Amino acid sequence: MARMTLRAAGRAPAGEVWERYARPELWHTWSPQIRSVRVRGDRIEPGMAGEVVSLPGVPVAFAVEEVGEARRRWTWRVEAGPVRMRLHHAVVVLPDGRTGTELRMEGPLPALVLYAGPARLPCTAW
């Protein structure tokens, strides 16, 4: 199992960035590789399960494992065939007043490298 961490910073308010994580219908605004989300519920919570449809239309099953609303952190597990990854997201206010995000990923190295490419693309949150 490999690990990789990505960080980004921008000027959008931390509360707004967190809402884009907390509401599945907004996931495409922080993850350009997500086309749509199929899930019951409007807000992430432990045990929430569903499917994200990524580019180029590949469905990926997911389950939310942990959510820390007050700390703006959450963890989910994704599964595509035999490939399984765990993704830990955090939103923080940086000392300079900008908003920072962190994505810690665990899984097979080729899957992490493949996911990291699109995850580094600029998104509308910034």
Side-chain angles (χ1 to χ4, degrees):
M1 167 115 29
R3 292 188 169 98
M4 184 182 294
T5 301
L6 303 176
R7 291 182 180 87
R11 301 215 175 276
E16 177 184 319
V17 175
W18 172 251
E19 284 302 306
R20 293 178 187 203
Y21 283 122
R23 297 174 44 206
E25 74 270 11
L26 298 177
W27 286 359
H28 69 280
T29 67
W30 56 263
S31 185
Q33 68 271 24
I34 294 178
R35 282 183 145 173
S36 65
V37 180
R38 299 176 187 140
V39 66
R40 286 193 175 145
D42 297 329
R43 194 164 192 83
I44 58 173
E45 62 181 350
M48 173 183 267
E51 191 174 73
V52 292
V53 179
S54 66
L55 295 175
V58 177
V60 177
F62 75 86
V64 176
E65 295 182 337
E66 298 175 37
V67 177
E69 284 269 352
R71 296 179 56 220
R72 297 185 185 116
R73 298 177 184 272
W74 70 293
T75 300
W76 60 323
R77 185 180 66 252
V78 296
E79 202 174 295
V83 178
R84 289 172 174 72
M85 294 173 36
R86 180 166 281 123
L87 308 170
H88 307 269
H89 293 275
V91 177
V92 297
V93 177
L94 299 172
D96 65 3
R98 294 181 307 151
T99 297
T101 60
E102 180 178 276
L103 167 60
R104 287 184 301 115
M105 304 181 290
E106 303 166 357
L109 184 58
L112 299 184
V113 170
L114 186 64
Y115 188 81
R120 285 189 175 109
L121 293 174
C123 68
T124 58
W126 309 110

